[in-house]
Amino acid sequence: MFHLRLVPDNTKIPFMNGRFAGLITSAFLSIASIILFFHPGLNYGIDFQGGIVIEARTPQAADFVSLRHSLGGLGMGQVALQEFGSPQDVLIRLERQPGDDAAQQVAADKVRATLAQTLPGTQVRRVEAVGASVSAELFANGMLAMGLAMVAMLLYIWFRFEWQFGLGAVVTLLLDITKIIGFYAVTGMQFNLTAIAAILTIMGYSINDKVVVYDRMRENLRIYKKMPLRDLIDLSINETLNRTLGTSMCTFLSVIPLALIGGEALQDFGIVLLLGVFIATTSSIFIAAPILLFLGENRLRRGTPEAAAPGNPATTP
């Protein structure tokens, strides 16, 4: 049976030779991302900055291109459209308008009139204003979800491996997340609840990738008890390289349709996932592994040092 191998068996790429370049590059990008988070800042969506939500049902399947053109010409800022249930149900989101509640009502009335003119027979089923307090609560809950996910991952890896593994994985995860947030700041893509979902998805993928590499390192620590940690880490990465690249490629290819033809609701989500898969894969090799090397030197060996099985060339100190 033919098996596709993305890299040859028994590769011996010295990944740890580039550990300083990888860590410096990652730290620079993460620091730049933190600066961009504060200035110019993120383009918060309606979920986090407040706005108006209108649920409407059109007589036939909604023409989103026509609707977006009509509502975008009202001069009320960003207008987000989303299919809601059936093709005839549309969820319309508008930025919060300057002024009091009366200004929000005027904006809602403009949308009603535009819908009646563009698509006669359209029923407006719900009009709801998302206030600043609700938006702040949604933002706080989103941040809390990310924080709890990170703590849970730290505890899981800490109990499954040694503390050095857990700390290395969470530090790498923080560096990954800051780069994603920096990407949102640079591109101006809306940062909303969908962005939180994308980041949580990336966190799960990233930690899974690191667990696979770390698991092989732990196995090799038991087998090659006299091998220097730097060489053992290189060996472990090379042994899992086919799996790492294969999983990343499959995930990448499956997300591409979302990024290309996912529509407004899923396109940004898909683009961020593509970047996240790339960042998670590279950070497992060039960030998580070097951090473990610095933390674990002379600390990860347990028991009396012994040579591994005789005749195995990899056991040479």
Side-chain angles (χ1 to χ4, degrees):
M1 184 182 294
F2 173 75
H3 295 281
L4 176 64
R5 311 293 290 178
L6 296 175
V7 293
D9 291 328
N10 302 318
T11 56
K12 297 181 180 179
I13 303 172
F15 289 106
M16 290 303 96
N17 286 353
R19 63 191 184 280
F20 293 111
L23 288 172
I24 291 171
T25 302
S26 178
F28 172 79
L29 291 174
S30 292
I31 291 171
S33 297
I34 293 171
I35 294 171
L36 290 169
F37 172 76
F38 291 103
H39 182 78
L42 299 175
N43 175 25
Y44 292 107
I46 294 168
D47 298 330
F48 294 155
Q49 70 176 2
I52 304 167
V53 177
I54 300 172
E55 183 184 335
R57 165 161 284 192
T58 58
Q60 57 273 341
D63 183 353
F64 283 90
V65 176
S66 174
L67 274 176
R68 191 173 291 110
H69 178 74
S70 301
L71 296 175
L74 295 177
M76 294 188 295
Q78 290 181 339
V79 179
L81 302 177
Q82 182 180 346
E83 186 176 301
F84 183 69
S86 72
Q88 294 173 267
D89 294 321
V90 183
L91 201 63
I92 304 169
R93 299 184 183 188
L94 304 172
E95 291 181 1
R96 184 169 181 81
Q97 304 301 303
D100 54 10
D101 291 341
Q104 315 310 313
Q105 186 59 49
V106 169
D109 290 340
K110 285 184 180 180
V111 173
R112 288 176 190 266
T114 303
L115 289 173
Q117 183 180 1
T118 307
L119 296 169
T122 298
Q123 302 173 3
V124 176
R125 297 186 157 192
R126 176 172 64 100
V127 178
E128 185 177 316
V130 180
S133 59
V134 175
S135 302
E137 185 179 348
L138 288 174
F139 182 77
N141 289 341
M143 295 300 105
L144 179 62
M146 286 198 291
L148 291 176
M150 195 167 298
V151 170
M153 292 174 186
L154 170 62
L155 294 176
Y156 167 72
I157 296 180
W158 196 327
F159 282 110
R160 179 170 175 177
F161 304 100
E162 288 78 6
W163 68 266
Q164 292 92 344
F165 290 93
L167 187 58
V170 170
V171 169
T172 307
L173 206 55
L174 281 170
L175 293 172
D176 290 353
I177 292 170
T178 53
K179 294 182 187 70
I180 296 296
I181 291 176
F183 177 75
Y184 273 103
V186 168
T187 60
M189 291 167 56
Q190 280 199 20
F191 191 81
N192 48 26
L193 289 176
T194 303
I196 297 293
I199 292 174
L200 289 173
T201 304
I202 292 167
M203 288 172 65
Y205 180 87
S206 179
I207 209 71
N208 176 71
D209 205 49
K210 286 155 187 58
V211 164
V212 171
V213 179
Y214 277 174
D215 209 34
R216 182 57 59 90
M217 291 179 188
R218 184 177 61 172
E219 291 174 6
N220 286 336
L221 280 169
R222 298 192 185 112
I223 299 172
Y224 306 109
K225 296 188 177 181
K226 286 190 175 182
M227 180 181 290
L229 185 58
R230 174 177 168 176
D231 296 339
L232 185 141
I233 289 175
D234 273 338
L235 173 66
S236 302
I237 295 173
N238 280 290
E239 287 178 344
T240 56
L241 194 57
N242 262 306
R243 181 266 171 203
T244 299
L245 294 179
T247 304
S248 300
M249 183 175 292
C250 288
T251 308
F252 200 88
L253 292 174
S254 65
V255 175
I256 284 178
L258 288 180
L260 295 179
I261 56 174
E264 185 179 2
L266 293 175
Q267 193 169 39
D268 288 356
F269 182 80
I271 292 171
V272 173
L273 281 188
L274 290 178
L275 177 66
V277 169
F278 174 77
I279 290 176
T281 303
T282 54
S283 68
S284 298
I285 297 172
F286 296 106
I287 311 300
I291 289 176
L292 183 64
L293 176 60
F294 294 135
L295 290 174
E297 194 74 65
N298 303 322
R299 293 188 182 94
L300 291 174
R301 306 285 184 183
R302 291 184 176 181
T304 308
E306 304 169 8
N312 193 330
T315 61
T316 10

